[in-house]
Amino acid sequence: MEDKSILLNNNIKMRYLESIQGNRVTNKHVLFIHGLGSSADRWLDIPDALSMYYHTIAIDLIGFGGSDKPTDINYTIEKFSEFILEFIEKIGISGDDKKITLVGHSLGGYIAVEFAIRNMALIEKLVLLDSSGFLKEPTPLLEQYLNAANYPTYDNVRSVFEQLVSQPWKVLPVVVNTFITWISSPGAKYPFLSAYQNSTTTQIDLSRLKSIQDIPTLIIWGRNDNLIPIEHSKPFKQVFKNYKLKMIEDAGHAPFIEKPAIICELLHSFLSEKN
């Protein structure tokens, strides 16, 4: 994957990873959208592996990772959606003959749904992994996550991360330290708090969700997700008409980290299916 960046309006920099292996021409575009407090790098080698068949892009949302972190905006789901639309227009994906598949995790799933509702003509397929969007209030683990972001000691962060996976031993010290370094960097806490507040106190309007009910959708959930438990998938299942649900055993909130080979195969199988 090539590490790139692009300037959006108002000179806001968005960092992203991009790959088309062998510089092949493809009309299959796949955009990965990470979750709260994460970055493009957390998708590991999955986007790169899939770039054998598709044009893959993993972004750092504005406010996260290596993207700019302006403190004069409200990090709403709608604002993230606007940034993504501007991004794909800048890199030349949008257009009458160009569609894109969105792969969104957690907060990224909520953003992907909002983007699809607003720009249905641009969407080919949706993949939602342990998606938020129907939280009426923060879950207890989300509250612990916020506390760890506000007070990023090693013990605080590790305690949360151990609850995000199926087995605590899977949490490596480097992952904990990387998060502490990022959240302690200048300007990082404000976007985290703003996005947290907006995503945990708002819900997807079911009447709006129905407008995209026919989009082919793959819903993936870790069986042991303690951050956004599996019951939060029910509204998606009630509304979407053309969906598949895959439960990932022995995995928590980010099954693509614990079971990358399984997730990569699920994605490739789903993306290769004819609509």
Side-chain angles (χ1 to χ4, degrees), residues 70-125:
T71 57
D72 58 348
I73 65 173
N74 188 7
Y75 288 83
T76 64
I77 305 302
E78 294 80 9
K79 178 59 71 173
F80 282 124
S81 176
E82 291 170 7
F83 279 130
I84 291 174
L85 177 60
E86 185 182 348
F87 170 76
I88 66 172
E89 288 176 342
K90 287 262 186 179
I91 65 172
I93 292 180
S94 63
D96 293 339
D97 60 339
K98 297 178 182 178
K99 291 193 173 187
I100 191 166
T101 292
L102 299 183
V103 181
H105 171 239
S106 196
L107 170 68
Y110 194 171
I111 295 167
V113 169
E114 178 63 28
F115 183 93
I117 291 171
R118 289 172 166 232
N119 308 280
M120 185 169 58
L122 298 178
I123 301 298
E124 183 170 359
K125 295 181 179 181

Coordinates of all heavy atoms in Angstrom, one line a residue, residues 70-125:
P70 N -8.4 19.5 12.9 CA -8.9 20.8 13.1 C -9.8 20.8 14.4 O -10.6 19.9 14.6 CB -9.7 21.2 11.9 CG -10.0 19.9 11.2 CD -8.9 19.0 11.6
T71 N -9.7 21.9 15.2 CA -10.5 22.0 16.4 C -11.7 23.0 16.3 O -12.3 23.3 17.3 CB -9.6 22.5 17.5 OG1 -9.0 23.7 17.2 CG2 -8.5 21.4 17.8
D72 N -11.9 23.4 15.0 CA -13.0 24.4 14.8 C -14.2 23.7 14.1 O -15.0 24.4 13.6 CB -12.5 25.6 14.1 CG -11.9 25.2 12.7 OD1 -11.7 24.0 12.4 OD2 -11.7 26.1 11.9
I73 N -14.3 22.4 14.1 CA -15.4 21.7 13.5 C -16.1 20.8 14.5 O -15.4 20.3 15.5 CB -15.1 21.0 12.2 CG1 -14.1 19.8 12.5 CG2 -14.4 21.9 11.2 CD1 -13.8 18.9 11.3
N74 N -17.3 20.5 14.3 CA -18.0 19.5 15.1 C -18.0 18.1 14.3 O -18.4 18.1 13.2 CB -19.5 19.9 15.3 CG -20.2 19.0 16.2 OD1 -19.6 18.2 16.9 ND2 -21.5 19.2 16.4
Y75 N -17.4 17.1 14.9 CA -17.1 15.8 14.3 C -18.4 15.0 14.3 O -18.5 14.0 15.0 CB -15.9 15.1 14.9 CG -14.6 15.8 14.6 CD1 -14.2 16.9 15.3 CD2 -13.8 15.3 13.5 CE1 -12.9 17.5 15.0 CE2 -12.6 15.9 13.2 CZ -12.2 17.0 13.9 OH -11.0 17.6 13.6
T76 N -19.4 15.4 13.5 CA -20.6 14.7 13.4 C -20.5 13.6 12.3 O -19.6 13.6 11.5 CB -21.8 15.6 13.0 OG1 -21.5 16.2 11.7 CG2 -21.9 16.7 14.0
I77 N -21.4 12.7 12.3 CA -21.5 11.7 11.3 C -21.7 12.3 9.9 O -21.0 11.9 8.9 CB -22.6 10.6 11.5 CG1 -22.5 10.0 12.9 CG2 -22.6 9.5 10.5 CD1 -21.1 9.4 13.2
E78 N -22.5 13.3 9.9 CA -22.7 14.1 8.6 C -21.4 14.7 8.1 O -21.1 14.7 6.9 CB -23.8 15.1 8.8 CG -25.2 14.5 9.1 CD -25.4 14.1 10.5 OE1 -24.5 14.4 11.4 OE2 -26.4 13.5 10.8
K79 N -20.7 15.3 9.0 CA -19.4 16.0 8.6 C -18.4 15.0 8.1 O -17.8 15.2 7.1 CB -18.9 16.8 9.8 CG -17.5 17.5 9.5 CD -17.7 18.5 8.4 CE -18.5 19.7 8.8 NZ -18.5 20.7 7.7
F80 N -18.3 13.8 8.7 CA -17.4 12.8 8.2 C -17.8 12.4 6.8 O -17.0 12.2 5.9 CB -17.4 11.6 9.1 CG -16.6 11.7 10.4 CD1 -17.2 11.6 11.6 CD2 -15.2 12.1 10.3 CE1 -16.4 11.7 12.8 CE2 -14.5 12.2 11.5 CZ -15.1 12.0 12.7
S81 N -19.1 12.2 6.6 CA -19.6 11.9 5.3 C -19.3 12.9 4.2 O -18.9 12.5 3.1 CB -21.2 11.7 5.4 OG -21.7 11.4 4.1
E82 N -19.4 14.2 4.6 CA -19.0 15.2 3.6 C -17.5 15.2 3.3 O -17.2 15.3 2.1 CB -19.3 16.6 4.3 CG -20.8 16.8 4.4 CD -21.1 18.1 5.2 OE1 -20.2 18.8 5.6 OE2 -22.3 18.3 5.5
F83 N -16.7 14.9 4.3 CA -15.3 14.8 4.0 C -15.0 13.6 3.0 O -14.1 13.7 2.1 CB -14.5 14.6 5.3 CG -14.2 15.9 6.1 CD1 -14.5 15.9 7.4 CD2 -13.7 17.0 5.5 CE1 -14.3 17.1 8.2 CE2 -13.4 18.1 6.2 CZ -13.7 18.2 7.5
I84 N -15.6 12.5 3.2 CA -15.4 11.3 2.4 C -15.9 11.6 1.0 O -15.2 11.2 0.0 CB -16.1 10.1 3.0 CG1 -15.4 9.7 4.3 CG2 -16.1 8.9 2.0 CD1 -16.0 8.6 5.0
L85 N -17.0 12.3 0.8 CA -17.4 12.6 -0.6 C -16.4 13.5 -1.3 O -16.1 13.3 -2.4 CB -18.8 13.3 -0.5 CG -19.4 13.8 -1.9 CD1 -19.5 12.6 -2.8 CD2 -20.7 14.5 -1.7
E86 N -15.9 14.5 -0.5 CA -14.9 15.4 -1.1 C -13.7 14.6 -1.5 O -13.1 14.8 -2.6 CB -14.6 16.5 -0.2 CG -13.7 17.5 -0.7 CD -13.3 18.6 0.3 OE1 -13.9 18.7 1.3 OE2 -12.3 19.4 -0.1
F87 N -13.3 13.7 -0.6 CA -12.1 12.9 -0.9 C -12.2 12.0 -2.1 O -11.3 12.0 -3.0 CB -11.9 11.9 0.3 CG -10.8 10.9 0.1 CD1 -9.4 11.3 0.1 CD2 -11.1 9.6 -0.1 CE1 -8.5 10.3 -0.1 CE2 -10.2 8.6 -0.4 CZ -8.8 9.0 -0.4
I88 N -13.3 11.3 -2.3 CA -13.4 10.4 -3.5 C -13.6 11.2 -4.7 O -13.2 10.8 -5.8 CB -14.6 9.4 -3.3 CG1 -16.0 10.0 -3.3 CG2 -14.4 8.5 -2.1 CD1 -17.1 9.0 -3.4
E89 N -14.2 12.4 -4.6 CA -14.3 13.3 -5.8 C -12.9 13.8 -6.2 O -12.5 13.8 -7.4 CB -15.2 14.5 -5.5 CG -16.6 14.1 -5.5 CD -17.5 15.3 -5.1 OE1 -17.0 16.3 -4.6 OE2 -18.7 15.2 -5.3
K90 N -12.0 14.1 -5.2 CA -10.7 14.6 -5.5 C -9.8 13.5 -6.1 O -9.0 13.9 -7.0 CB -10.1 15.1 -4.1 CG -10.6 16.4 -3.6 CD -9.7 17.5 -3.9 CE -10.2 18.8 -3.2 NZ -9.3 19.9 -3.6
I91 N -10.0 12.3 -5.7 CA -9.1 11.3 -6.3 C -9.8 10.6 -7.5 O -9.2 9.7 -8.1 CB -8.8 10.2 -5.3 CG1 -10.0 9.4 -4.8 CG2 -8.0 10.8 -4.1 CD1 -9.6 8.2 -4.0
G92 N -10.9 11.1 -7.9 CA -11.5 10.7 -9.2 C -12.3 9.4 -9.2 O -12.5 8.8 -10.3
I93 N -12.9 9.1 -8.1 CA -13.8 7.8 -8.1 C -15.2 8.1 -8.4 O -15.9 7.3 -9.1 CB -13.6 7.1 -6.7 CG1 -12.2 6.5 -6.6 CG2 -14.7 6.0 -6.6 CD1 -12.0 5.8 -5.3
S94 N -15.7 9.3 -8.0 CA -17.1 9.6 -8.2 C -17.4 9.9 -9.7 O -16.6 10.3 -10.4 CB -17.6 10.8 -7.3 OG -16.9 11.9 -7.7
G95 N -18.6 9.6 -10.1 CA -19.0 9.8 -11.5 C -20.1 8.9 -11.9 O -20.4 7.9 -11.2
D96 N -20.7 9.1 -13.0 CA -21.9 8.3 -13.4 C -21.5 6.9 -13.6 O -22.3 6.0 -13.4 CB -22.5 8.9 -14.7 CG -23.1 10.3 -14.6 OD1 -23.4 10.6 -13.4 OD2 -23.2 11.0 -15.5
D97 N -20.3 6.6 -14.0 CA -19.9 5.2 -14.3 C -19.0 4.6 -13.3 O -18.4 3.5 -13.5 CB -19.1 5.2 -15.7 CG -17.9 6.0 -15.7 OD1 -17.8 6.9 -14.8 OD2 -17.0 5.8 -16.5
K98 N -18.9 5.3 -12.1 CA -18.0 4.8 -11.1 C -18.8 4.6 -9.7 O -19.4 5.5 -9.3 CB -16.9 5.8 -10.9 CG -16.0 5.9 -12.1 CD -14.8 6.9 -11.9 CE -14.0 7.0 -13.1 NZ -12.9 8.1 -12.9
K99 N -18.7 3.4 -9.2 CA -19.3 3.2 -7.9 C -18.2 2.6 -6.9 O -17.2 2.2 -7.4 CB -20.5 2.2 -8.0 CG -21.7 2.7 -8.8 CD -22.9 1.8 -8.6 CE -24.1 2.5 -9.2 NZ -25.3 1.7 -8.9
I100 N -18.6 2.6 -5.7 CA -17.6 2.3 -4.7 C -18.3 1.4 -3.6 O -19.5 1.5 -3.3 CB -17.0 3.5 -4.0 CG1 -15.8 3.2 -3.1 CG2 -18.0 4.3 -3.2 CD1 -15.0 4.4 -2.8
T101 N -17.5 0.4 -3.1 CA -17.9 -0.4 -1.9 C -17.3 0.2 -0.7 O -16.1 0.5 -0.6 CB -17.5 -1.8 -2.1 OG1 -18.3 -2.4 -3.2 CG2 -17.8 -2.6 -0.8
L102 N -18.1 0.4 0.3 CA -17.6 1.0 1.6 C -17.5 -0.2 2.6 O -18.5 -0.9 2.8 CB -18.5 2.1 2.1 CG -18.7 3.3 1.3 CD1 -19.6 4.3 2.0 CD2 -17.3 3.9 0.9
V103 N -16.4 -0.2 3.3 CA -16.2 -1.2 4.4 C -16.0 -0.4 5.7 O -14.9 0.3 5.8 CB -15.0 -2.1 4.1 CG1 -14.8 -3.1 5.2 CG2 -15.1 -2.8 2.8
G104 N -16.9 -0.4 6.6 CA -16.9 0.4 7.7 C -16.9 -0.4 9.0 O -17.7 -1.2 9.2
H105 N -16.0 0.0 9.9 CA -15.9 -0.7 11.2 C -16.4 0.3 12.3 O -15.9 1.4 12.4 CB -14.5 -1.1 11.5 CG -14.3 -1.6 12.9 ND1 -13.4 -1.1 13.8 CD2 -14.9 -2.6 13.6 CE1 -13.5 -1.7 15.0 NE2 -14.4 -2.7 14.9
S106 N -17.3 -0.1 13.2 CA -17.8 0.6 14.3 C -18.2 2.0 13.9 O -19.2 2.1 13.2 CB -16.6 0.7 15.4 OG -17.0 1.0 16.6
L107 N -17.6 3.1 14.4 CA -17.9 4.4 13.9 C -17.9 4.5 12.4 O -18.7 5.2 11.8 CB -16.9 5.4 14.5 CG -17.0 6.9 14.0 CD1 -18.2 7.5 14.4 CD2 -15.7 7.7 14.5
G108 N -16.9 3.8 11.8 CA -16.8 3.8 10.3 C -18.0 3.2 9.7 O -18.4 3.6 8.6
G109 N -18.7 2.2 10.3 CA -19.9 1.7 9.8 C -21.0 2.7 9.8 O -21.8 2.8 8.8
Y110 N -21.2 3.4 10.9 CA -22.2 4.5 11.0 C -22.0 5.5 9.9 O -22.9 5.9 9.2 CB -22.0 5.1 12.4 CG -23.2 6.0 12.8 CD1 -23.2 6.4 14.1 CD2 -24.2 6.4 12.0 CE1 -24.2 7.2 14.6 CE2 -25.2 7.2 12.4 CZ -25.2 7.6 13.8 OH -26.2 8.5 14.2
I111 N -20.7 5.9 9.7 CA -20.4 6.9 8.6 C -20.7 6.3 7.3 O -21.2 7.0 6.4 CB -18.9 7.3 8.7 CG1 -18.6 8.0 10.1 CG2 -18.5 8.1 7.6 CD1 -17.1 8.1 10.4
A112 N -20.4 5.0 7.0 CA -20.6 4.4 5.7 C -22.1 4.4 5.4 O -22.5 4.7 4.3 CB -20.1 3.0 5.7
V113 N -22.9 4.1 6.4 CA -24.4 4.1 6.2 C -24.9 5.5 5.9 O -25.7 5.7 4.9 CB -25.1 3.6 7.4 CG1 -26.6 3.8 7.4 CG2 -24.8 2.1 7.6
E114 N -24.4 6.5 6.6 CA -24.8 7.9 6.3 C -24.4 8.3 4.9 O -25.2 9.0 4.2 CB -24.2 8.8 7.4 CG -24.5 10.3 7.2 CD -26.0 10.7 7.3 OE1 -26.7 9.9 8.0 OE2 -26.4 11.6 6.6
F115 N -23.2 8.0 4.6 CA -22.7 8.3 3.2 C -23.6 7.6 2.2 O -23.9 8.3 1.2 CB -21.2 7.8 3.1 CG -20.7 8.2 1.7 CD1 -20.0 9.4 1.6 CD2 -20.8 7.4 0.6 CE1 -19.4 9.8 0.3 CE2 -20.3 7.7 -0.6 CZ -19.6 8.9 -0.8
A116 N -23.9 6.4 2.4 CA -24.7 5.7 1.4 C -26.1 6.3 1.3 O -26.7 6.4 0.1 CB -24.8 4.2 1.8
I117 N -26.7 6.7 2.4 CA -28.0 7.3 2.3 C -27.9 8.6 1.5 O -28.8 8.9 0.7 CB -28.5 7.6 3.8 CG1 -28.8 6.3 4.5 CG2 -29.7 8.5 3.8 CD1 -29.2 6.4 6.0
R118 N -26.9 9.4 1.7 CA -26.8 10.7 1.0 C -26.3 10.5 -0.4 O -26.6 11.4 -1.2 CB -25.7 11.5 1.8 CG -26.1 12.0 3.1 CD -25.0 12.7 3.9 NE -25.4 13.5 5.0 CZ -25.1 14.8 5.2 NH1 -24.3 15.4 4.4 NH2 -25.6 15.4 6.2
N119 N -25.6 9.4 -0.7 CA -25.0 9.3 -2.1 C -25.3 7.9 -2.6 O -24.3 7.2 -3.1 CB -23.5 9.5 -2.0 CG -23.2 10.8 -1.3 OD1 -23.2 11.9 -1.9 ND2 -22.8 10.8 0.0
M120 N -26.5 7.5 -2.6 CA -26.8 6.1 -2.9 C -26.4 5.7 -4.4 O -25.9 4.6 -4.6 CB -28.4 5.9 -2.8 CG -28.8 4.4 -3.1 SD -30.5 4.1 -2.6 CE -31.3 5.3 -3.7
A121 N -26.4 6.7 -5.3 CA -26.0 6.4 -6.6 C -24.5 6.0 -6.8 O -24.1 5.4 -7.8 CB -26.3 7.6 -7.5
L122 N -23.7 6.4 -5.7 CA -22.3 6.1 -5.8 C -21.9 4.7 -5.2 O -20.8 4.3 -5.3 CB -21.5 7.2 -5.0 CG -21.6 8.6 -5.5 CD1 -20.8 9.5 -4.6 CD2 -21.1 8.7 -7.0
I123 N -22.9 4.1 -4.5 CA -22.6 2.9 -3.8 C -22.9 1.6 -4.5 O -24.0 1.4 -5.1 CB -23.4 2.9 -2.4 CG1 -23.1 4.1 -1.6 CG2 -23.1 1.6 -1.6 CD1 -21.6 4.2 -1.2
E124 N -21.9 0.7 -4.5 CA -22.1 -0.6 -5.1 C -22.5 -1.6 -4.0 O -23.5 -2.3 -4.2 CB -20.8 -1.1 -5.8 CG -21.0 -2.4 -6.5 CD -19.8 -2.8 -7.4 OE1 -18.9 -2.0 -7.5 OE2 -19.9 -3.9 -8.0
K125 N -21.7 -1.7 -2.9 CA -22.0 -2.6 -1.8 C -21.6 -1.9 -0.5 O -20.9 -1.0 -0.5 CB -21.3 -3.9 -2.0 CG -21.7 -4.7 -3.2 CD -21.0 -6.0 -3.3 CE -21.5 -6.9 -4.5 NZ -20.8 -8.2 -4.6

